[in-house]
PDB file of all heavy atoms in Angstrom:
ATOM      1  N   ASP K   5      19.444  51.476   5.458  1.00 94.00           N
ATOM      2  CA  ASP K   5      19.346  52.924   5.302  1.00 94.00           C
ATOM      3  C   ASP K   5      19.943  53.337   3.962  1.00 94.00           C
ATOM      4  O   ASP K   5      20.998  52.838   3.563  1.00 94.00           O
ATOM      5  CB  ASP K   5      20.087  53.629   6.450  1.00 94.00           C
ATOM      6  CG  ASP K   5      19.883  55.136   6.440  1.00 94.00           C
ATOM      7  OD1 ASP K   5      18.816  55.583   5.985  1.00 94.00           O
ATOM      8  OD2 ASP K   5      20.784  55.868   6.886  1.00 94.00           O
ATOM      9  N   PHE K   6      19.234  54.233   3.272  1.00 93.00           N
ATOM     10  CA  PHE K   6      19.760  54.823   2.048  1.00 93.00           C
ATOM     11  C   PHE K   6      20.027  56.296   2.316  1.00 93.00           C
ATOM     12  O   PHE K   6      19.164  57.011   2.844  1.00 93.00           O
ATOM     13  CB  PHE K   6      18.773  54.687   0.888  1.00 93.00           C
ATOM     14  CG  PHE K   6      19.243  55.352  -0.379  1.00 93.00           C
ATOM     15  CD1 PHE K   6      20.174  54.722  -1.193  1.00 93.00           C
ATOM     16  CD2 PHE K   6      18.795  56.617  -0.741  1.00 93.00           C
ATOM     17  CE1 PHE K   6      20.637  55.329  -2.354  1.00 93.00           C
ATOM     18  CE2 PHE K   6      19.246  57.224  -1.896  1.00 93.00           C
ATOM     19  CZ  PHE K   6      20.167  56.580  -2.702  1.00 93.00           C
ATOM     20  N   VAL K   7      21.215  56.754   1.967  1.00 92.00           N
ATOM     21  CA  VAL K   7      21.616  58.138   2.239  1.00 92.00           C
ATOM     22  C   VAL K   7      21.918  58.841   0.920  1.00 92.00           C
ATOM     23  O   VAL K   7      22.766  58.377   0.145  1.00 92.00           O
ATOM     24  CB  VAL K   7      22.861  58.184   3.150  1.00 92.00           C
ATOM     25  CG1 VAL K   7      23.283  59.633   3.386  1.00 92.00           C
ATOM     26  CG2 VAL K   7      22.572  57.494   4.475  1.00 92.00           C
ATOM     27  N   LEU K   8      21.204  59.925   0.675  1.00 90.00           N
ATOM     28  CA  LEU K   8      21.439  60.751  -0.511  1.00 90.00           C
ATOM     29  C   LEU K   8      22.151  62.022  -0.070  1.00 90.00           C
ATOM     30  O   LEU K   8      21.624  62.803   0.722  1.00 90.00           O
ATOM     31  CB  LEU K   8      20.118  61.099  -1.196  1.00 90.00           C
ATOM     32  CG  LEU K   8      20.198  62.070  -2.381  1.00 90.00           C
ATOM     33  CD1 LEU K   8      21.025  61.475  -3.505  1.00 90.00           C
ATOM     34  CD2 LEU K   8      18.812  62.439  -2.877  1.00 90.00           C
ATOM     35  N   ASP K   9      23.356  62.217  -0.565  1.00 90.00           N
ATOM     36  CA  ASP K   9      24.149  63.399  -0.240  1.00 90.00           C
ATOM     37  C   ASP K   9      24.020  64.393  -1.386  1.00 90.00           C
ATOM     38  O   ASP K   9      24.153  64.017  -2.556  1.00 90.00           O
ATOM     39  CB  ASP K   9      25.608  63.001  -0.034  1.00 90.00           C
ATOM     40  CG  ASP K   9      26.445  64.150   0.491  1.00 90.00           C
ATOM     41  OD1 ASP K   9      25.859  65.068   1.083  1.00 90.00           O
ATOM     42  OD2 ASP K   9      27.679  64.140   0.290  1.00 90.00           O
ATOM     43  N   THR K  10      23.747  65.648  -1.059  1.00 88.00           N
ATOM     44  CA  THR K  10      23.572  66.674  -2.087  1.00 88.00           C
ATOM     45  C   THR K  10      24.632  67.754  -1.936  1.00 88.00           C
ATOM     46  O   THR K  10      25.241  67.913  -0.870  1.00 88.00           O
ATOM     47  CB  THR K  10      22.175  67.322  -1.999  1.00 88.00           C
ATOM     48  OG1 THR K  10      22.014  67.907  -0.697  1.00 88.00           O
ATOM     49  CG2 THR K  10      21.086  66.282  -2.225  1.00 88.00           C
ATOM     50  N   TYR K  11      24.836  68.480  -3.024  1.00 89.00           N
ATOM     51  CA  TYR K  11      25.753  69.612  -2.958  1.00 89.00           C
ATOM     52  C   TYR K  11      25.117  70.722  -2.114  1.00 89.00           C
ATOM     53  O   TYR K  11      23.889  70.909  -2.144  1.00 89.00           O
ATOM     54  CB  TYR K  11      26.066  70.121  -4.361  1.00 89.00           C
ATOM     55  CG  TYR K  11      27.022  69.233  -5.114  1.00 89.00           C
ATOM     56  CD1 TYR K  11      26.565  68.329  -6.069  1.00 89.00           C
ATOM     57  CD2 TYR K  11      28.389  69.284  -4.844  1.00 89.00           C
ATOM     58  CE1 TYR K  11      27.454  67.502  -6.754  1.00 89.00           C
ATOM     59  CE2 TYR K  11      29.280  68.460  -5.531  1.00 89.00           C
ATOM     60  CZ  TYR K  11      28.809  67.570  -6.474  1.00 89.00           C
ATOM     61  OH  TYR K  11      29.687  66.751  -7.139  1.00 89.00           O
ATOM     62  N   PRO K  12      25.929  71.449  -1.335  1.00 87.00           N
ATOM     63  CA  PRO K  12      25.385  72.464  -0.418  1.00 87.00           C
ATOM     64  C   PRO K  12      24.459  73.447  -1.108  1.00 87.00           C
ATOM     65  O   PRO K  12      24.786  74.004  -2.159  1.00 87.00           O
ATOM     66  CB  PRO K  12      26.650  73.164   0.112  1.00 87.00           C
ATOM     67  CG  PRO K  12      27.726  72.138   0.007  1.00 87.00           C
ATOM     68  CD  PRO K  12      27.398  71.356  -1.238  1.00 87.00           C
ATOM     69  N   GLY K  13      23.299  73.619  -0.523  1.00 86.00           N
ATOM     70  CA  GLY K  13      22.337  74.592  -1.022  1.00 86.00           C
ATOM     71  C   GLY K  13      21.564  74.168  -2.243  1.00 86.00           C
ATOM     72  O   GLY K  13      20.835  74.973  -2.815  1.00 86.00           O
ATOM     73  N   THR K  14      21.702  72.903  -2.664  1.00 86.00           N
ATOM     74  CA  THR K  14      21.018  72.425  -3.860  1.00 86.00           C
ATOM     75  C   THR K  14      20.381  71.073  -3.577  1.00 86.00           C
ATOM     76  O   THR K  14      20.609  70.461  -2.533  1.00 86.00           O
ATOM     77  CB  THR K  14      21.991  72.269  -5.052  1.00 86.00           C
ATOM     78  OG1 THR K  14      22.821  71.124  -4.822  1.00 86.00           O
ATOM     79  CG2 THR K  14      22.867  73.487  -5.210  1.00 86.00           C
ATOM     80  N   MET K  15      19.610  70.591  -4.548  1.00 83.00           N
ATOM     81  CA  MET K  15      19.069  69.231  -4.502  1.00 83.00           C
ATOM     82  C   MET K  15      19.816  68.328  -5.467  1.00 83.00           C
ATOM     83  O   MET K  15      19.395  67.214  -5.737  1.00 83.00           O
ATOM     84  CB  MET K  15      17.578  69.252  -4.861  1.00 83.00           C
ATOM     85  CG  MET K  15      16.711  69.972  -3.836  1.00 83.00           C
ATOM     86  SD  MET K  15      16.858  69.252  -2.182  1.00 83.00           S
ATOM     87  CE  MET K  15      16.119  67.635  -2.471  1.00 83.00           C
ATOM     88  N   ARG K  16      20.956  68.799  -5.979  1.00 85.00           N
ATOM     89  CA  ARG K  16      21.733  68.036  -6.941  1.00 85.00           C
ATOM     90  C   ARG K  16      22.525  66.950  -6.220  1.00 85.00           C
ATOM     91  O   ARG K  16      23.273  67.241  -5.286  1.00 85.00           O
ATOM     92  CB  ARG K  16      22.674  68.964  -7.690  1.00 85.00           C
ATOM     93  CG  ARG K  16      23.390  68.328  -8.854  1.00 85.00           C
ATOM     94  CD  ARG K  16      24.269  69.336  -9.564  1.00 85.00           C
ATOM     95  NE  ARG K  16      23.481  70.488 -10.011  1.00 85.00           N
ATOM     96  CZ  ARG K  16      24.018  71.530 -10.649  1.00 85.00           C
ATOM     97  NH1 ARG K  16      25.300  71.560 -10.902  1.00 85.00           N
ATOM     98  NH2 ARG K  16      23.249  72.535 -11.024  1.00 85.00           N
ATOM     99  N   PRO K  17      22.397  65.686  -6.633  1.00 87.00           N
ATOM    100  CA  PRO K  17      23.098  64.605  -5.933  1.00 87.00           C
ATOM    101  C   PRO K  17      24.615  64.742  -6.033  1.00 87.00           C
ATOM    102  O   PRO K  17      25.163  64.929  -7.112  1.00 87.00           O
ATOM    103  CB  PRO K  17      22.615  63.340  -6.660  1.00 87.00           C
ATOM    104  CG  PRO K  17      21.352  63.729  -7.337  1.00 87.00           C
ATOM    105  CD  PRO K  17      21.517  65.171  -7.699  1.00 87.00           C
ATOM    106  N   ALA K  18      25.272  64.685  -4.880  1.00 87.00           N
ATOM    107  CA  ALA K  18      26.730  64.647  -4.842  1.00 87.00           C
ATOM    108  C   ALA K  18      27.224  63.221  -4.666  1.00 87.00           C
ATOM    109  O   ALA K  18      28.377  62.913  -4.951  1.00 87.00           O
ATOM    110  CB  ALA K  18      27.249  65.524  -3.702  1.00 87.00           C
ATOM    111  N   GLY K  19      26.341  62.346  -4.208  1.00 88.00           N
ATOM    112  CA  GLY K  19      26.680  60.947  -3.994  1.00 88.00           C
ATOM    113  C   GLY K  19      25.535  60.260  -3.266  1.00 88.00           C
ATOM    114  O   GLY K  19      24.671  60.916  -2.683  1.00 88.00           O
ATOM    115  N   PHE K  20      25.507  58.950  -3.334  1.00 88.00           N
ATOM    116  CA  PHE K  20      24.490  58.204  -2.593  1.00 88.00           C
ATOM    117  C   PHE K  20      25.071  56.863  -2.188  1.00 88.00           C
ATOM    118  O   PHE K  20      25.938  56.304  -2.848  1.00 88.00           O
ATOM    119  CB  PHE K  20      23.196  58.025  -3.396  1.00 88.00           C
ATOM    120  CG  PHE K  20      23.376  57.866  -4.875  1.00 88.00           C
ATOM    121  CD1 PHE K  20      23.538  56.616  -5.444  1.00 88.00           C
ATOM    122  CD2 PHE K  20      23.379  58.971  -5.714  1.00 88.00           C
ATOM    123  CE1 PHE K  20      23.695  56.454  -6.806  1.00 88.00           C
ATOM    124  CE2 PHE K  20      23.543  58.823  -7.088  1.00 88.00           C
ATOM    125  CZ  PHE K  20      23.703  57.559  -7.635  1.00 88.00           C
ATOM    126  N   SER K  21      24.587  56.370  -1.036  1.00 92.00           N
ATOM    127  CA  SER K  21      25.135  55.141  -0.469  1.00 92.00           C
ATOM    128  C   SER K  21      24.030  54.321   0.188  1.00 92.00           C
ATOM    129  O   SER K  21      22.971  54.846   0.547  1.00 92.00           O
ATOM    130  CB  SER K  21      26.225  55.460   0.554  1.00 92.00           C
ATOM    131  OG  SER K  21      25.697  56.213   1.632  1.00 92.00           O
ATOM    132  N   SER K  22      24.312  53.037   0.324  1.00 94.00           N
ATOM    133  CA  SER K  22      23.357  52.104   0.926  1.00 94.00           C
ATOM    134  C   SER K  22      24.023  51.383   2.083  1.00 94.00           C
ATOM    135  O   SER K  22      25.088  50.784   1.923  1.00 94.00           O
ATOM    136  CB  SER K  22      22.880  51.076  -0.118  1.00 94.00           C
ATOM    137  OG  SER K  22      22.279  51.711  -1.218  1.00 94.00           O
ATOM    138  N   GLN K  23      23.392  51.467   3.258  1.00 95.00           N
ATOM    139  CA  GLN K  23      23.825  50.687   4.417  1.00 95.00           C
ATOM    140  C   GLN K  23      22.995  49.405   4.431  1.00 95.00           C
ATOM    141  O   GLN K  23      21.776  49.459   4.564  1.00 95.00           O
ATOM    142  CB  GLN K  23      23.619  51.479   5.713  1.00 95.00           C
ATOM    143  CG  GLN K  23      24.303  50.876   6.923  1.00 95.00           C
ATOM    144  CD  GLN K  23      25.820  50.959   6.849  1.00 95.00           C
ATOM    145  OE1 GLN K  23      26.358  51.998   6.475  1.00 95.00           O
ATOM    146  NE2 GLN K  23      26.496  49.872   7.183  1.00 95.00           N
ATOM    147  N   VAL K  24      23.658  48.287   4.236  1.00 95.00           N
ATOM    148  CA  VAL K  24      22.945  47.017   4.069  1.00 95.00           C
ATOM    149  C   VAL K  24      23.435  45.982   5.077  1.00 95.00           C
ATOM    150  O   VAL K  24      24.473  46.150   5.730  1.00 95.00           O
ATOM    151  CB  VAL K  24      23.134  46.460   2.634  1.00 95.00           C
ATOM    152  CG1 VAL K  24      22.613  47.437   1.595  1.00 95.00           C
ATOM    153  CG2 VAL K  24      24.600  46.135   2.370  1.00 95.00           C
ATOM    154  N   GLN K  25      22.653  44.894   5.171  1.00 95.00           N
ATOM    155  CA  GLN K  25      23.071  43.711   5.910  1.00 95.00           C
ATOM    156  C   GLN K  25      23.088  42.532   4.946  1.00 95.00           C
ATOM    157  O   GLN K  25      22.134  42.332   4.185  1.00 95.00           O
ATOM    158  CB  GLN K  25      22.116  43.411   7.069  1.00 95.00           C
ATOM    159  CG  GLN K  25      22.157  44.426   8.201  1.00 95.00           C
ATOM    160  CD  GLN K  25      21.330  43.970   9.384  1.00 95.00           C
ATOM    161  OE1 GLN K  25      21.422  42.818   9.824  1.00 95.00           O
ATOM    162  NE2 GLN K  25      20.509  44.876   9.902  1.00 95.00           N
ATOM    163  N   ILE K  26      24.158  41.767   4.965  1.00 95.00           N
ATOM    164  CA  ILE K  26      24.311  40.609   4.100  1.00 95.00           C
ATOM    165  C   ILE K  26      24.183  39.348   4.958  1.00 95.00           C
ATOM    166  O   ILE K  26      24.914  39.186   5.939  1.00 95.00           O
ATOM    167  CB  ILE K  26      25.675  40.614   3.394  1.00 95.00           C
ATOM    168  CG1 ILE K  26      25.896  41.937   2.648  1.00 95.00           C
ATOM    169  CG2 ILE K  26      25.791  39.421   2.449  1.00 95.00           C
ATOM    170  CD1 ILE K  26      24.962  42.183   1.515  1.00 95.00           C
ATOM    171  N   THR K  27      23.254  38.485   4.595  1.00 95.00           N
ATOM    172  CA  THR K  27      23.075  37.211   5.301  1.00 95.00           C
ATOM    173  C   THR K  27      23.439  36.077   4.360  1.00 95.00           C
ATOM    174  O   THR K  27      22.791  35.868   3.335  1.00 95.00           O
ATOM    175  CB  THR K  27      21.620  37.036   5.782  1.00 95.00           C
ATOM    176  OG1 THR K  27      21.282  38.128   6.647  1.00 95.00           O
ATOM    177  CG2 THR K  27      21.475  35.726   6.538  1.00 95.00           C
ATOM    178  N   ASP K  28      24.501  35.357   4.696  1.00 94.00           N
ATOM    179  CA  ASP K  28      24.983  34.267   3.865  1.00 94.00           C
ATOM    180  C   ASP K  28      24.094  33.042   4.042  1.00 94.00           C
ATOM    181  O   ASP K  28      23.819  32.612   5.172  1.00 94.00           O
ATOM    182  CB  ASP K  28      26.427  33.929   4.246  1.00 94.00           C
ATOM    183  CG  ASP K  28      27.077  32.998   3.244  1.00 94.00           C
ATOM    184  OD1 ASP K  28      26.802  31.792   3.316  1.00 94.00           O
ATOM    185  OD2 ASP K  28      27.852  33.492   2.405  1.00 94.00           O
ATOM    186  N   HIS K  29      23.622  32.468   2.943  1.00 94.00           N
ATOM    187  CA  HIS K  29      22.705  31.323   3.027  1.00 94.00           C
ATOM    188  C   HIS K  29      23.399  30.064   3.519  1.00 94.00           C
ATOM    189  O   HIS K  29      22.775  29.225   4.181  1.00 94.00           O
ATOM    190  CB  HIS K  29      22.068  31.065   1.660  1.00 94.00           C
ATOM    191  CG  HIS K  29      21.145  32.151   1.211  1.00 94.00           C
ATOM    192  ND1 HIS K  29      20.604  32.204  -0.051  1.00 94.00           N
ATOM    193  CD2 HIS K  29      20.669  33.260   1.853  1.00 94.00           C
ATOM    194  CE1 HIS K  29      19.841  33.268  -0.168  1.00 94.00           C
ATOM    195  NE2 HIS K  29      19.866  33.932   0.966  1.00 94.00           N
ATOM    196  N   GLU K  30      24.670  29.908   3.204  1.00 92.00           N
ATOM    197  CA  GLU K  30      25.373  28.680   3.579  1.00 92.00           C
ATOM    198  C   GLU K  30      25.763  28.678   5.051  1.00 92.00           C
ATOM    199  O   GLU K  30      25.569  27.686   5.758  1.00 92.00           O
ATOM    200  CB  GLU K  30      26.622  28.511   2.716  1.00 92.00           C
ATOM    201  CG  GLU K  30      27.389  27.222   2.988  1.00 92.00           C
ATOM    202  CD  GLU K  30      28.583  27.046   2.068  1.00 92.00           C
ATOM    203  OE1 GLU K  30      28.540  27.570   0.945  1.00 92.00           O
ATOM    204  OE2 GLU K  30      29.547  26.377   2.480  1.00 92.00           O
ATOM    205  N   THR K  31      26.292  29.795   5.543  1.00 93.00           N
ATOM    206  CA  THR K  31      26.753  29.850   6.935  1.00 93.00           C
ATOM    207  C   THR K  31      25.708  30.409   7.883  1.00 93.00           C
ATOM    208  O   THR K  31      25.794  30.196   9.092  1.00 93.00           O
ATOM    209  CB  THR K  31      28.018  30.719   7.025  1.00 93.00           C
ATOM    210  OG1 THR K  31      27.693  32.072   6.660  1.00 93.00           O
ATOM    211  CG2 THR K  31      29.101  30.191   6.097  1.00 93.00           C
ATOM    212  N   GLY K  32      24.745  31.170   7.338  1.00 92.00           N
ATOM    213  CA  GLY K  32      23.727  31.790   8.177  1.00 92.00           C
ATOM    214  C   GLY K  32      24.208  33.038   8.883  1.00 92.00           C
ATOM    215  O   GLY K  32      23.459  33.653   9.651  1.00 92.00           O
ATOM    216  N   LYS K  33      25.446  33.436   8.644  1.00 94.00           N
ATOM    217  CA  LYS K  33      25.997  34.601   9.314  1.00 94.00           C
ATOM    218  C   LYS K  33      25.552  35.884   8.617  1.00 94.00           C
ATOM    219  O   LYS K  33      25.389  35.923   7.403  1.00 94.00           O
ATOM    220  CB  LYS K  33      27.519  34.531   9.345  1.00 94.00           C
ATOM    221  CG  LYS K  33      28.055  33.392  10.215  1.00 94.00           C
ATOM    222  CD  LYS K  33      29.578  33.411  10.236  1.00 94.00           C
ATOM    223  CE  LYS K  33      30.108  32.298  11.134  1.00 94.00           C
ATOM    224  NZ  LYS K  33      31.606  32.289  11.169  1.00 94.00           N
ATOM    225  N   THR K  34      25.369  36.943   9.428  1.00 94.00           N
ATOM    226  CA  THR K  34      24.964  38.255   8.928  1.00 94.00           C
ATOM    227  C   THR K  34      26.019  39.288   9.294  1.00 94.00           C
ATOM    228  O   THR K  34      26.531  39.283  10.419  1.00 94.00           O
ATOM    229  CB  THR K  34      23.608  38.671   9.520  1.00 94.00           C
ATOM    230  OG1 THR K  34      22.608  37.705   9.152  1.00 94.00           O
ATOM    231  CG2 THR K  34      23.195  40.042   9.024  1.00 94.00           C
ATOM    232  N   PHE K  35      26.335  40.148   8.346  1.00 95.00           N
ATOM    233  CA  PHE K  35      27.299  41.211   8.629  1.00 95.00           C
ATOM    234  C   PHE K  35      26.853  42.487   7.923  1.00 95.00           C
ATOM    235  O   PHE K  35      26.220  42.435   6.864  1.00 95.00           O
ATOM    236  CB  PHE K  35      28.713  40.817   8.167  1.00 95.00           C
ATOM    237  CG  PHE K  35      28.846  40.588   6.689  1.00 95.00           C
ATOM    238  CD1 PHE K  35      29.202  41.622   5.825  1.00 95.00           C
ATOM    239  CD2 PHE K  35      28.610  39.324   6.144  1.00 95.00           C
ATOM    240  CE1 PHE K  35      29.324  41.406   4.465  1.00 95.00           C
ATOM    241  CE2 PHE K  35      28.737  39.099   4.778  1.00 95.00           C
ATOM    242  CZ  PHE K  35      29.096  40.152   3.933  1.00 95.00           C
ATOM    243  N   PRO K  36      27.167  43.643   8.523  1.00 95.00           N
ATOM    244  CA  PRO K  36      26.789  44.921   7.897  1.00 95.00           C
ATOM    245  C   PRO K  36      27.806  45.324   6.836  1.00 95.00           C
ATOM    246  O   PRO K  36      28.974  44.934   6.884  1.00 95.00           O
ATOM    247  CB  PRO K  36      26.798  45.899   9.070  1.00 95.00           C
ATOM    248  CG  PRO K  36      27.837  45.347   9.996  1.00 95.00           C
ATOM    249  CD  PRO K  36      27.776  43.839   9.852  1.00 95.00           C
ATOM    250  N   ALA K  37      27.366  46.116   5.897  1.00 95.00           N
ATOM    251  CA  ALA K  37      28.255  46.614   4.843  1.00 95.00           C
ATOM    252  C   ALA K  37      27.686  47.915   4.286  1.00 95.00           C
ATOM    253  O   ALA K  37      26.490  48.192   4.408  1.00 95.00           O
ATOM    254  CB  ALA K  37      28.405  45.582   3.726  1.00 95.00           C
ATOM    255  N   LYS K  38      28.566  48.686   3.669  1.00 95.00           N
ATOM    256  CA  LYS K  38      28.166  49.941   3.034  1.00 95.00           C
ATOM    257  C   LYS K  38      28.581  49.909   1.572  1.00 95.00           C
ATOM    258  O   LYS K  38      29.709  49.534   1.250  1.00 95.00           O
ATOM    259  CB  LYS K  38      28.821  51.139   3.743  1.00 95.00           C
ATOM    260  CG  LYS K  38      28.405  52.494   3.186  1.00 95.00           C
ATOM    261  CD  LYS K  38      29.090  53.625   3.934  1.00 95.00           C
ATOM    262  CE  LYS K  38      28.687  54.984   3.366  1.00 95.00           C
ATOM    263  NZ  LYS K  38      29.361  56.109   4.070  1.00 95.00           N
ATOM    264  N   ILE K  39      27.670  50.282   0.698  1.00 94.00           N
ATOM    265  CA  ILE K  39      27.930  50.311  -0.740  1.00 94.00           C
ATOM    266  C   ILE K  39      27.674  51.735  -1.219  1.00 94.00           C
ATOM    267  O   ILE K  39      26.622  52.307  -0.926  1.00 94.00           O
ATOM    268  CB  ILE K  39      27.010  49.332  -1.497  1.00 94.00           C
ATOM    269  CG1 ILE K  39      27.087  47.927  -0.890  1.00 94.00           C
ATOM    270  CG2 ILE K  39      27.359  49.296  -2.972  1.00 94.00           C
ATOM    271  CD1 ILE K  39      26.031  46.985  -1.412  1.00 94.00           C
ATOM    272  N   TRP K  40      28.639  52.302  -1.949  1.00 90.00           N
ATOM    273  CA  TRP K  40      28.416  53.610  -2.531  1.00 90.00           C
ATOM    274  C   TRP K  40      29.121  53.697  -3.883  1.00 90.00           C
ATOM    275  O   TRP K  40      29.871  52.791  -4.240  1.00 90.00           O
ATOM    276  CB  TRP K  40      28.842  54.727  -1.577  1.00 90.00           C
ATOM    277  CG  TRP K  40      30.294  54.858  -1.271  1.00 90.00           C
ATOM    278  CD1 TRP K  40      31.162  55.746  -1.820  1.00 90.00           C
ATOM    279  CD2 TRP K  40      31.063  54.119  -0.310  1.00 90.00           C
ATOM    280  NE1 TRP K  40      32.411  55.609  -1.278  1.00 90.00           N
ATOM    281  CE2 TRP K  40      32.378  54.616  -0.337  1.00 90.00           C
ATOM    282  CE3 TRP K  40      30.763  53.078   0.572  1.00 90.00           C
ATOM    283  CZ2 TRP K  40      33.387  54.106   0.464  1.00 90.00           C
ATOM    284  CZ3 TRP K  40      31.765  52.576   1.389  1.00 90.00           C
ATOM    285  CH2 TRP K  40      33.063  53.088   1.334  1.00 90.00           C
ATOM    286  N   MET K  41      28.835  54.768  -4.619  1.00 86.00           N
ATOM    287  CA  MET K  41      29.318  54.898  -5.983  1.00 86.00           C
ATOM    288  C   MET K  41      30.835  54.771  -6.034  1.00 86.00           C
ATOM    289  O   MET K  41      31.544  55.402  -5.260  1.00 86.00           O
ATOM    290  CB  MET K  41      28.878  56.246  -6.563  1.00 86.00           C
ATOM    291  CG  MET K  41      29.262  56.460  -8.009  1.00 86.00           C
ATOM    292  SD  MET K  41      28.509  55.254  -9.134  1.00 86.00           S
ATOM    293  CE  MET K  41      26.809  55.823  -9.134  1.00 86.00           C
TER     294      MET K  41
END
């Protein structure tokens, strides 16, 4: 999921974040993570 946060009443970006899943090739394990500015 990608989330774009805007300032109230505008379309101006206040911030944006990415909800991702990381799958490690060596262990095969998957875990969720969030990345933002």
Side-chain angles (χ1 to χ4, degrees):
D5 187 30
F6 177 79
V7 178
L8 175 63
D9 188 23
T10 59
Y11 285 101
T14 73
M15 294 302 294
R16 189 178 303 179
F20 34 90
S21 62
S22 302
Q23 192 69 44
V24 300
Q25 291 188 47
I26 306 295
T27 301
D28 191 281
H29 293 171
E30 183 177 332
T31 64
K33 293 182 178 180
T34 300
F35 62 91
K38 183 180 179 181
I39 307 169
W40 67 100
M41 183 62 73

